[in-house]
Amino acid sequence: MSDKKTDKGILVRKVQFEFPKNFKPYWNPAKPVLSQLANGASMLLPYMEPFIIDSIRKATKHISDPALLEEAKAWMGQEAQHFKQHRRFNEVLIAKGYPQLREREKQMEREYQELGKRSLKYQVAYTAGFEVMALSIAHMLIEQRKHFFGEADRPVASMWLWHLIEEIEHKNLAFDVYQHLYGGHWYRAYGILCALIHMMGLIRGTYIVLLKADGLWGKWKTRWTIKKIAFRLFVSFLPRTIRYAMPGHHPSHVANPEWMKEWVALFDKGEVGLTKLDTTKMSLSPKEMLPAQ
């Protein structure tokens, strides 16, 4: 895999995040429910991301554009790094007293194996649908990073921010692959709906397992907190996703956040402190968040 950026700026970054022995599942101590909702999303990624990688890998056999093929290879490399880091994180999480998650892992693996039997057009549409969702939520979480990651465990917050940045960086690869192979709009829009419903259902099932294990599920405070988080997410995430799903839209039309650009510039200079950003300074620039030497 090349260690150089593609023409569209995709770079496969082999970043390693170290999760301390005293790691706590509530990696955002002030927001335990939020932590477990994000943990539920992390548990999904070692099953969802290999599925979308495989979808694009199968699609590459039909790509006739050499430039798009090169972008697709870099995209697969980035997604592979994502699920590898989340798998490491998930193992640390399970070891903290959540053996019930092994059954969830088996269920998610089965579901994505079944999706892998569907038509390639469906699989690429699902992948492009996920890409639209990822672009929407990545912009929102970076904009609201202080709320979601402020005062949080440094390696965990830094891992999520790295992942979000790369989702923005490769924002239109699956879109371009779908258009190259199939063209049209409505079936691709259908892929967005399929990915949204399927992924949200799996994440919800997982965070319920986590919250039940903590003795928090069923309590009115927990339910109210989830509703508030969902409202904050969907009031920003859904309008973006709908806008990005409209005919004539191309993901490249969405400008990259300045905070992301600064993070990328620091990485390009070899800055290693990006794996443990100071989350007490989450409203500042990435440079100002670097740990003290």
Side-chain angles (χ1 to χ4, degrees):
M1 186 67 65
S2 172
D3 59 355
K4 296 181 179 179
K5 290 185 180 181
T6 66
D7 289 342
K8 297 289 179 64
I10 301 176
L11 175 66
V12 181
R13 301 176 179 86
K14 296 183 179 179
V15 187
Q16 190 88 340
F17 299 89
E18 298 303 328
F19 308 112
K21 292 181 179 179
N22 63 348
F23 164 81
K24 295 180 175 58
Y26 299 162
W27 47 267
N28 189 329
K31 297 174 179 174
V33 175
L34 173 63
S35 298
Q36 294 294 43
L37 266 62
N39 292 343
S42 182
M43 290 298 303
L44 173 74
L45 299 177
Y47 303 96
M48 185 277 292
E49 289 188 309
F51 164 77
I52 62 174
I53 291 170
D54 193 50
S55 299
I56 296 300
R57 182 179 291 114
K58 287 184 283 191
T60 59
K61 298 175 183 177
H62 309 283
I63 294 175
S64 57
D65 180 346
L68 181 59
L69 185 61
E70 189 65 24
E71 298 293 331
K73 290 177 181 178
W75 180 94
M76 289 188 284
Q78 280 196 343
E79 293 292 4
Q81 291 302 313
H82 295 171
F83 83 75
K84 288 175 182 177
Q85 291 301 312
H86 282 277
R87 180 176 286 161
R88 291 180 58 249
F89 170 79
N90 294 347
E91 288 300 318
V92 175
L93 175 66
I94 292 169
K96 289 296 181 178
Y98 300 100
Q100 310 93 320
L101 291 174
R102 294 300 184 196
E103 284 303 313
R104 289 296 300 166
E105 289 183 313
K106 291 177 184 177
Q107 180 180 347
M108 289 186 284
E109 183 176 26
R110 286 193 299 268
E111 292 207 18
Y112 279 106
Q113 285 174 346
E114 287 301 311
L115 287 186
K117 297 175 184 177
R118 299 194 60 166
S119 71
L120 182 58
K121 183 176 182 179
Y122 176 88
Q123 292 178 50
V124 177
Y126 184 110
T127 302
F130 162 72
E131 185 177 71
V132 167
M133 292 164 50
L135 177 60
S136 301
I137 203 163
H139 271 268
M140 186 208 72
L141 291 178
I142 287 176
E143 286 172 4
Q144 301 185 34
R145 59 190 180 276
K146 183 176 181 180
H147 175 81
F148 287 98
F149 302 114
E151 309 287 341
D153 181 276
R154 292 186 179 191
V156 180
S158 298
M159 175 187 70
W160 276 112
L161 289 165
W162 156 75
H163 190 160
L164 295 167
I165 284 165
E166 293 197 343
E167 291 298 337
I168 296 174
E169 190 171 70
H170 63 227
K171 58 192 172 187
N172 53 274
L173 184 280
F175 180 103
D176 289 342
V177 170
Y178 181 89
Q179 293 303 120
H180 180 75
L181 266 58
Y182 306 108
H185 168 75
W186 295 110
Y187 193 86
R188 181 174 51 78
Y190 168 66
I192 298 173
L193 183 63
C194 291
L196 176 64
I197 293 171
H198 185 240
M199 291 172 57
M200 291 301 179
L202 290 176
I203 292 170
R204 184 177 187 274
T206 305
Y207 73 63
I208 288 174
V209 170
L210 288 163
L211 292 170
K212 280 184 176 179
D214 295 340
L216 295 176
W217 184 252
K219 295 186 176 181
W220 73 266
K221 286 185 178 180
T222 300
R223 297 292 183 93
W224 178 241
T225 300
I226 291 173
K227 289 182 187 301
K228 288 192 295 182
I229 294 170
F231 179 79
R232 178 180 282 269
L233 285 169
F234 283 104
V235 77
S236 178
F237 162 71
L238 269 186
R240 290 178 194 264
T241 302
I242 292 169
R243 187 165 67 252
Y244 299 166
M246 290 293 101
H249 175 82
H250 190 277
S252 64
H253 299 163
V254 183
N256 294 341
E258 289 301 318
W259 196 91
M260 168 203 169
K261 293 178 186 177
E262 293 176 23
W263 188 102
V264 170
L266 285 171
F267 185 93
D268 291 348
K269 292 177 182 177
E271 178 54 64
V272 296
L274 294 170
T275 60
K276 41 192 172 182
L277 294 171
D278 186 346
T279 56
T280 65
K281 301 176 180 178
M282 194 56 75
S283 61
L284 303 180
S285 71
K287 186 175 182 179
E288 294 170 299
M289 291 175 62
L290 293 174
Q293 299 297 322

